[in-house]
Amino acid sequence: LGSLLDHKMHLAGMVACCAFQESGILTKRTKFGLCGCPARKTPITCLKAHGYAALEVSNIIKVLFFSNAKLEKPVTFTLLNLKQGIILFWALYMSLVVILNIFDGLKTLKFLPQTWKFSSGNFWFIEQVTKMYSTPSWINGVLFAGAIVWEIVNTVMLWAALATFDGSSNASINSALIVGLALWAAFMVIDEFFLAWSVAIGNSNAMEGHRSLFVSWLVCLMAINLLPNI
């Protein structure tokens, strides 16, 4: 209650001070008002100069005398928020990858009809890449299932890192991003072994896609560790 009263008294003082400035009372003696603002600033302009949001006078009076609310400072975004946004983006991305691959697996096992559209199509792509060595279908299945398990682990790590990251330590985020980097690196090695660059996906190929993801994650890892937590 005491802090709220102090806050209201401080705010009321600034409003009164600026009102006197606007009327010219204070400007006869000083170029600045009691709150430190240049003379002849309106109350609203003064409040904005002190970091308060621009509110109507009626709302200011309501805050001062008729409510327990406080005027809020403008919302600011920090480098810490940027880091949290990076992790949130990759957590959402990997969650979507996992869901699409699971649906693709269910579609391959005929638990879903072939007309089901919401799936990755990655199992079909694996078959196209590995057929140059006449790879058995069960090996393709193992590769696909292993990738899904790896992606699930990485997704859980990303969400856990996001939930616990407060700027005091980058350890959980680093672990999650390194596991993701290892995943894309493994894909790049497999791509090279099976010459996946020869299998086109639209105007590109799997190797280009995995390389782009690897570089993107590496850049994010560097940003997380080089930028300060402010």
Side-chain angles (χ1 to χ4, degrees), residues 42-62:
T42 65
I44 295 300
T45 306
C46 179
L47 288 172
K48 290 175 66 177
H50 282 275
Y52 290 99
L55 300 178
E56 297 295 336
V57 174
S58 60
N59 288 340
I60 294 175
I61 300 301
K62 185 185 298 183

Side-chain angles (χ1 to χ4, degrees), residues 103-119 121 123-124 127:
F103 278 130
D104 195 48
L106 294 174
K107 185 176 177 180
T108 301
L109 295 173
K110 303 191 182 326
F111 288 109
L112 292 173
Q114 293 303 306
T115 55
W116 184 270
K117 300 297 184 182
F118 191 68
S119 63
F123 186 78
W124 173 86
E127 290 183 318

Side-chain angles (χ1 to χ4, degrees), residues 78-81 83 165 167 170 223-230:
T78 65
L79 292 177
L80 178 61
N81 298 138
K83 294 182 180 184
F165 181 58
N170 295 336
I224 293 293
N225 288 277
L226 295 179
L227 295 176
N229 293 327
I230 58 173

Side-chain angles (χ1 to χ4, degrees), residues 69-81:
K70 292 185 179 181
L71 288 176
E72 294 183 356
K73 298 280 184 170
V75 176
T76 58
F77 294 94
T78 65
L79 292 177
L80 178 61
N81 298 138

Side-chain angles (χ1 to χ4, degrees), residues 7-219:
H7 177 80
K8 289 184 176 181
M9 291 296 292
H10 176 257
L11 184 56
M14 284 204 302
V15 172
C17 168
C18 291
F20 281 126
Q21 285 177 222
E22 190 174 14
S23 65
I25 295 174
L26 289 178
T27 57
K28 294 179 180 178
R29 295 187 177 182
T30 176
K31 294 171 61 178
F32 295 92
L34 297 178
C35 61
C37 284
R40 295 203 177 274
K41 275 197 172 185
T42 65
I44 295 300
T45 306
C46 179
L47 288 172
K48 290 175 66 177
H50 282 275
Y52 290 99
L55 300 178
E56 297 295 336
V57 174
S58 60
N59 288 340
I60 294 175
I61 300 301
K62 185 185 298 183
V63 170
L64 287 176
F65 302 108
F66 301 107
S67 77
N68 291 325
K70 292 185 179 181
L71 288 176
E72 294 183 356
K73 298 280 184 170
V75 176
T76 58
F77 294 94
T78 65
L79 292 177
L80 178 61
N81 298 138
L82 174 63
K83 294 182 180 184
Q84 292 169 333
I86 290 173
I87 301 305
L88 175 61
F89 169 77
W90 287 120
L92 290 171
Y93 176 83
M94 290 304 298
S95 297
L96 185 58
V97 169
V98 168
I99 292 171
L100 287 170
N101 279 339
I102 288 176
F103 278 130
D104 195 48
L106 294 174
K107 185 176 177 180
T108 301
L109 295 173
K110 303 191 182 326
F111 288 109
L112 292 173
Q114 293 303 306
T115 55
W116 184 270
K117 300 297 184 182
F118 191 68
S119 63
S120 64
N122 282 334
F123 186 78
W124 173 86
F125 182 77
I126 289 175
E127 290 183 318
Q128 302 307 305
V129 169
T130 62
K131 67 181 182 181
M132 65 173 299
Y133 295 128
S134 300
T135 306
S137 182
W138 69 269
I139 293 183
N140 293 333
V142 170
L143 291 173
F144 188 56
I148 292 177
V149 171
W150 198 332
E151 290 161 357
I152 290 174
V153 171
N154 192 205
T155 302
V156 172
M157 292 180 69
L158 286 168
W159 283 114
L162 179 63
T164 59
F165 181 58
D166 58 1
S168 60
S169 174
N170 295 336
S172 59
I173 293 181
N174 288 341
S175 298
L177 290 178
I178 288 172
V179 169
L181 279 171
L183 173 65
W184 307 127
F187 279 144
M188 290 168 62
V189 171
I190 293 173
D191 291 340
E192 186 64 33
F193 179 77
F194 287 104
L195 305 180
W197 48 264
S198 63
V199 180
I201 306 176
N203 295 325
S204 61
N205 56 61
M207 185 173 289
E208 290 180 2
H210 294 148
R211 187 189 305 123
S212 297
L213 285 167
F214 182 87
V215 171
S216 298
W217 281 58
L218 184 59
V219 170

